[in-house]
Amino acid sequence: AQTVTQSQPEMSVQEAETVTLSCTYDTSESNYYLFWYKQPPSRQMILVIRQEAYKQQNATENRFSVNFQKAAKSFSLKISDSQLGDTAMYFCAFMKRNTGNQFYFGTGTSLTVIP
Amino acid sequence: KAGVTQTPRYLIKTRGQQVTLSCSPISGHRSVSWYQQTPGQGLQFLFEYFSETQRNKGNFPGRFSGRQFSNSRSEMNVSTLELGDSALYLCASRPGQLNTEAFFGQGTRLTVV
């Protein structure tokens, strides 16, 4: 079974500052994907960033980057130059490769960006 | 291109009733998945449909069922509603089964009273 753990239920950051959200996972799979999804008050889940486990290079999308430590099964999200629009719930998610499209989600981290 | 559309957005039902929720995926997308989101259990996978066939099912009782039509639109049905079924139900669409990026709708908020 796959489990995803987000140990920070709530976090806050000053506008323009940097914040890191933590995520750890447990799996016996060797091929998989990891994701960070954002859920603003509109409730729509929006993909922030995706990492393929077989790629050693950490994924980056503009102000968002990850620190993927495969051996430690850790997948943290760094948000640089935080903006008010970044205020949302952030979910870490796991998906096995080539065996179906089921996401395993963490419990989420509520991030508030303070003006 | 229109996004994933879920209807209705809000629904209030009485315990014991049944409910049907609808999801229209992005045009051209053939895979539709459903998730239940509650404060206590978080986001849990219900099932996935591809080309009108259920490909994967989560650990939910048989009261939860779904189907997919030839135009890829999907419905999920919950019979004999219980208070614990109150949740946000999210639908996600993908072009195909091997695509990893999923596009979510805004969900249907179901309240069972």
Side-chain angles (χ1 to χ4, degrees):
Chain A
Q2 279 60 233
T3 59
V4 179
T5 302
Q6 294 179 251
S7 59
Q8 305 153 313
E10 295 181 358
M11 294 190 73
S12 61
V13 62
Q14 291 291 137
E15 194 175 6
E17 295 295 309
T18 295
V19 65
T20 299
L21 279 55
S22 300
C23 172
T24 59
Y25 60 94
D26 189 25
T27 183
S28 58
E29 301 287 326
S30 57
N31 293 320
Y32 51 87
Y33 298 93
L34 295 163
F35 306 80
W36 280 97
Y37 272 89
K38 166 185 175 181
Q39 187 177 40
S42 68
R43 307 182 320 205
Q44 187 168 20
M45 299 280 279
I46 300 165
L47 178 65
V48 174
I49 201 164
R50 174 181 54 195
Q51 174 79 41
E52 297 171 28
Y54 62 90
K55 290 187 177 179
Q56 292 185 330
Q57 186 173 4
N58 288 326
T60 299
E61 287 286 342
N62 301 313
R63 298 182 295 108
F64 300 88
S65 61
V66 298
N67 183 3
F68 173 47
Q69 301 290 328
K70 190 172 184 179
K73 295 181 181 175
S74 170
F75 184 62
S76 61
L77 174 69
K78 185 172 82 170
I79 306 174
S80 304
D81 185 25
S82 296
Q83 300 175 0
L84 297 179
D86 295 334
T87 293
M89 280 291 289
Y90 286 81
F91 292 94
C92 178
F94 171 100
M95 178 192 290
K96 291 188 284 187
R97 190 178 184 201
N98 294 336
T99 56
N101 294 323
Q102 178 179 349
F103 284 113
Y104 297 86
F105 285 98
T107 51
T109 295
S110 177
L111 177 66
T112 301
V113 179
I114 302 167
Chain B
K1 188 183 262 191
V4 179
T5 303
Q6 291 189 245
T7 57
R9 293 288 306 279
Y10 300 90
L11 204 50
I12 300 176
K13 288 287 189 179
T14 303
R15 195 170 41 180
Q17 288 186 311
Q18 75 165 23
V19 67
T20 299
L21 312 181
S22 178
C23 171
S24 293
I26 292 171
S27 178
H29 286 197
R30 298 167 62 196
S31 169
V32 174
S33 300
W34 289 88
Y35 289 83
Q36 181 196 65
Q37 185 176 19
T38 60
Q41 299 297 317
L43 283 148
Q44 296 186 89
F45 172 75
L46 280 156
F47 26 64
E48 184 209 3
Y49 286 87
F50 178 77
S51 293
E52 302 178 64
T53 302
Q54 189 180 90
R55 301 291 178 161
N56 197 6
K57 189 177 192 305
N59 188 26
F60 278 81
R63 299 186 297 107
F64 291 81
S65 63
R67 59 178 175 169
Q68 186 180 34
F69 302 95
S70 58
N71 63 356
S72 294
R73 188 177 71 87
S74 178
E75 290 181 345
M76 67 163 281
N77 184 277
V78 188
S79 62
T80 320
L81 283 165
E82 300 177 358
L83 297 179
D85 297 332
S86 294
L88 178 66
Y89 290 88
L90 292 167
C91 165
S93 85
R94 271 174 242 271
Q97 276 199 295
L98 297 182
N99 297 91
T100 59
E101 184 172 358
F103 298 84
F104 285 81
Q106 288 186 285
T108 294
R109 172 75 67 187
L110 171 66
T111 302
V112 182
V113 297

